[in-house]
Amino acid sequence: MSEIFRNPPSIHQNDVDDSFDVEKDANVSMEKEKNIEQFTVLSDVSKDSHSSTERSILNPLFDETFKYMQVAKDLEPLSPKQDKKLRWKLYFSVLAMVMVLDMMLYIDKATLSYSSILGLFEDTHITKDQYNNLNTLFYVGYIIGQIPGHLLLQRFPVGKFVAGSTALWTIIIFLHCTAYNYSGLMALRFFLGLVESTLLPTMEATLGMFFPHNELTFLQPVFYISCYGCNIPAGFIAYGVQYATNTVSPWKLFMIIVGGLTFFMTLWLFFYYPDNPAKARFLTKAERLYTVDRVRRNNNSGIESKRFKKHQVIEALKEPVTWLFALHVLTNQLSNNLAYQQNLLFTSLGVSNLNSTLVSVANSGYNCVSSMLATYLMSLIVNQSAFHGAFWYIPSIAGGIASVAMSWNHKIGELAAIIIASNFGIPFIISLGWMSATCAGYTKKLTRGVLFMIGYAVANIIGPQMWQSHDAPRYYPAWIAQIVVAWSVSPMILLIIRWILVRKNNERRRLREQNSEEKLSKTWVEFVDSSGNPTSGFIDNSMLDLTDQENLMFVYPL
């Protein structure tokens, strides 16, 4: 092995108490582990004399947290008490941080929806169809921002990328107050979509760095509470500004309050949003080591790489599963504009502008309870993401059919049906986490993320156009498209994905039965150490940025 790994710091269980206080001199681990330059990687067991195949991958495969992995692999396991303490610290730091960011992200998206009942139409002289076009234009910016956004994400530190994006969207939210016509709103919604376009996959990538797949699966619905719950603070803010009759227009005051909250969040994220576990300033050095190691051991894959790898892009594009996930989000999100139409639907049922904000709060409460129930079920019945996702389409189908079939005079029944139909977001977030968990290789994950978010954006471009003003107030075409495509075809796609992954796992299991774990779990690496000396050795696959196809020890979560 290289000199940089010859004498790793020795950290044992007795060096770490329940508070993770590590002796100061045990943490000098990372100083000399720099400037690793890789020349050639021979994949799998190509240096094994029994291997008949040799394949060169001319790309750097060292993970960004490789230095930490080298040290952490020699640590003794945490006690159950210590492991629990670390997990809860990660819940209250990383998970809470991305939930706050996600909530503000969806509040900012919903600003137009609330503005529609707070005087936006009167002040800017737009029509209902122009309002739909503004929702569509937001997602045009969303599509255009995907590829450059993901390239910037891989090139720059994650924390600074996130803070920069939120700073730009803060400015754009404030600028909404200056809009006085349709053209101005078009420009603002386009650029808002552009700067927000990569934040959701960035948050998913962050969660994937700190939590292993088996935990992340059931944490996804918890994470999505931040989306569903956004209407609770937003609804109360919108309710309150309607009493501000002697100031600026209520919709502008709403934008100012939301922009202010986003500004303070940006300051917080600039200092504390982590690039990866090895750079998380809210963790001690020992906690960083254990966080990296628990993800590596459970996932059998690397965590982050700042090197773009063309072969990983090609591999992702060739896999049917990649396109099936993109197709699923496309069909699922055809119904997403229901969230932006709800306030208008509520008022068309005779609910006042003031009370419609409270109905939105109740709707959020229902969806948050659904997300908590989904979390409990996923922790109870593990490794069944496809079935959990398919199950949560049932309430949407029932609510959609009830909304179409019920007499318009049954106002309470219609309100209930619209609310019941609204939790299709749970399958969306399950599929988003599952999409990331079922592949390895950082560039490959980002490629899948790009295609997933393009499918998301395309659906949201189409979605607003299904709600044409001449179909009001029942909007039968929109409801039928949602029931038939968004909520009936989508679960079938999830089950097809599961069928493919089960077959892949069966193939991997047969391969492991025929070969030793030692043979399949390591890769021969030739590189130059920090002193400029050529060196080589077998490196555990979980410490390298290999794809799931290259790492034969990778098991596809179901």
Side-chain angles (χ1 to χ4, degrees):
M1 292 296 292
S2 163
E3 289 180 2
I4 60 174
F5 304 133
R6 184 169 295 162
N7 296 304
S10 178
I11 300 180
H12 300 286
Q13 185 68 30
N14 57 8
D15 295 320
V16 186
D17 65 14
D18 287 345
S19 300
F20 294 99
D21 292 327
V22 181
E23 293 296 330
K24 187 175 180 180
D25 60 354
N27 288 302
V28 295
S29 49
M30 315 309 161
E31 293 296 326
K32 57 182 179 177
E33 298 174 41
K34 298 178 180 178
N35 303 319
I36 299 174
E37 296 181 13
Q38 178 174 342
F39 288 156
T40 305
V41 174
L42 300 181
S43 176
D44 300 329
V45 288
S46 56
K47 286 292 182 179
D48 190 325
S49 60
H50 299 290
S51 174
S52 60
T53 62
E54 185 170 299
R55 179 164 56 87
S56 293
I57 304 174
L58 301 177
N59 289 279
L61 290 187
F62 284 114
D63 190 85
E64 286 292 303
T65 59
F66 184 68
K67 301 185 294 290
Y68 270 71
M69 290 179 176
Q70 273 299 121
V71 179
K73 70 183 180 65
D74 295 323
L75 298 176
E76 297 197 14
L78 294 174
S79 68
K81 181 180 178 180
Q82 291 172 324
D83 185 67
K84 182 179 179 180
K85 185 172 183 176
L86 177 57
R87 280 190 292 109
W88 278 101
K89 184 170 184 178
L90 293 174
Y91 293 158
F92 284 111
S93 53
V94 180
L95 182 61
M97 189 179 299
V98 296
M99 287 182 72
V100 170
L101 173 57
D102 193 51
M103 177 174 286
M104 289 308 304
L105 180 72
Y106 278 93
I107 289 176
D108 285 344
K109 285 183 183 181
T111 50
L112 195 67
S113 174
Y114 282 102
S115 295
S116 68
I117 59 171
L118 295 175
L120 175 71
F121 281 69
E122 294 77 10
D123 286 358
T124 58
H125 312 291
I126 63 172
T127 66
K128 173 63 168 59
D129 289 339
Q130 288 175 329
Y131 169 80
N132 290 336
N133 292 340
L134 292 174
N135 284 322
T136 290
L137 200 59
F138 176 92
Y139 289 99
V140 173
Y142 220 81
I143 286 183
I144 293 174
Q146 286 303 314
I147 293 178
H150 277 82
L151 289 175
L152 290 172
L153 173 62
Q154 191 165 31
R155 184 175 181 84
F156 293 101
V158 177
K160 300 303 178 283
F161 174 82
V162 169
S165 299
T166 58
L168 289 173
W169 111 43
T170 301
I171 295 170
I172 294 171
I173 287 294
F174 279 132
L175 287 174
H176 276 68
C177 298
T178 67
Y180 59 88
N181 59 21
Y182 179 53
S183 299
L185 288 172
M186 287 177 66
L188 290 167
R189 298 310 289 184
F190 171 82
F191 284 109
L192 185 63
L194 187 73
V195 300
E196 290 185 3
S197 58
T198 52
L199 283 172
L200 183 57
T202 300
M203 288 183 275
E204 281 293 329
T206 299
L207 290 173
M209 293 178 190
F210 284 86
F211 298 101
H213 294 159
N214 59 338
E215 288 182 27
L216 191 57
T217 299
F218 68 82
L219 288 178
Q220 289 295 334
V222 176
F223 170 53
Y224 209 58
I225 289 174
S226 56
C227 166
Y228 274 148
C230 75
N231 284 327
I232 296 176
F236 283 122
I237 293 171
Y239 183 85
V241 299
Q242 292 182 74
Y243 287 97
T245 56
N246 297 320
T247 58
V248 298
S249 298
W251 72 272
K252 292 184 179 181
L253 185 57
F254 183 80
M255 292 285 184
I256 292 170
I257 294 172
V258 171
L261 292 173
T262 308
F263 171 74
F264 287 113
M265 180 192 69
T266 299
L267 296 178
W268 175 44
L269 295 177
F270 179 81
F271 291 105
Y272 288 101
Y273 198 96
D275 298 330
N276 57 51
K279 297 180 180 179
R281 61 176 59 191
F282 48 81
L283 297 178
T284 67
K285 289 186 177 180
E287 289 169 341
R288 295 173 197 172
L289 289 170
Y290 279 111
T291 299
V292 167
D293 190 55
R294 67 198 299 269
V295 173
R296 177 192 68 83
R297 284 186 291 102
N298 283 276
N299 294 0
N300 280 312
S301 64
I303 292 176
E304 185 190 20
S305 173
K306 290 300 182 186
R307 308 293 184 91
F308 177 80
K309 301 177 177 64
K310 183 179 178 181
H311 80 279
Q312 292 194 10
V313 176
I314 296 171
E315 183 177 310
L317 295 177
K318 286 183 176 181
E319 288 185 348
V321 169
T322 298
W323 297 100
L324 286 170
F325 274 117
L327 179 61
H328 173 262
V329 73
L330 175 63
T331 56
N332 172 282
Q333 289 294 292
L334 285 175
S335 59
N336 192 47
N337 201 250
L338 177 61
Y340 303 104
Q341 301 291 335
Q342 279 183 332
N343 285 321
L344 295 175
L345 290 173
F346 295 156
T347 55
S348 68
L349 283 165
V351 180
S352 67
N353 287 350
L354 192 64
N355 289 331
S356 67
T357 60
L358 298 181
V359 176
S360 295
V361 171
N363 187 19
S364 278
Y366 160 73
N367 288 323
C368 288
V369 170
S370 297
S371 292
M372 289 186 281
L373 179 59
T375 300
Y376 173 72
L377 292 175
M378 294 189 76
S379 64
L380 194 65
I381 307 172
V382 299
N383 209 31
Q384 302 292 342
S385 296
F387 292 120
H388 285 289
F391 170 79
W392 285 103
Y393 282 109
I394 295 174
S396 295
I397 294 172
I401 292 174
S403 182
V404 171
M406 196 178 302
S407 170
W408 191 246
N409 294 325
H410 294 152
K411 307 297 184 183
I412 301 299
E414 279 288 340
L415 284 174
I418 292 170
I419 291 173
I420 290 171
S422 65
N423 63 4
F424 53 85
I426 294 176
F428 162 73
I429 200 64
I430 289 174
S431 69
L432 177 58
W434 194 28
M435 176 270 299
S436 179
T438 50
C439 75
Y442 197 69
T443 303
K444 183 176 181 179
K445 283 178 180 284
L446 292 183
T447 303
R448 273 198 182 180
V450 168
L451 294 174
F452 189 93
M453 298 313 295
I454 287 175
Y456 172 85
V458 168
N460 280 282
I461 288 173
I462 299 170
Q465 304 308 315
M466 299 191 309
W467 300 83
Q468 294 297 311
S469 57
H470 57 76
D471 294 323
R474 301 307 302 267
Y475 297 102
Y476 285 121
W479 281 108
I480 291 170
Q482 290 177 148
I483 296 167
V484 175
V485 180
W487 303 332
S488 297
V489 173
S490 297
M492 297 179 189
I493 297 173
L494 291 179
L495 296 176
I496 293 172
I497 293 172
R498 187 183 192 278
W499 177 73
I500 293 173
L501 295 180
V502 167
R503 294 185 64 190
K504 285 178 175 285
N505 278 342
N506 289 338
E507 292 172 0
R508 293 285 171 93
R509 187 182 67 253
R510 287 193 292 269
L511 188 64
R512 288 194 296 272
E513 290 172 352
Q514 297 167 5
N515 298 273
S516 66
E517 181 175 331
E518 179 71 17
K519 182 178 180 180
L520 298 177
S521 64
K522 294 185 178 181
T523 297
W524 181 268
V525 182
E526 296 179 356
F527 56 97
V528 175
D529 66 18
S530 58
S531 301
N533 302 316
T535 187
S536 59
F538 281 106
I539 305 294
D540 194 290
N541 290 343
S542 63
M543 297 184 182
L544 302 174
D545 185 40
L546 299 175
T547 69
D548 52 282
Q549 287 192 23
E550 295 164 341
N551 180 6
L552 298 179
M553 293 302 292
F554 186 90
V555 177
Y556 295 96
L558 301 177

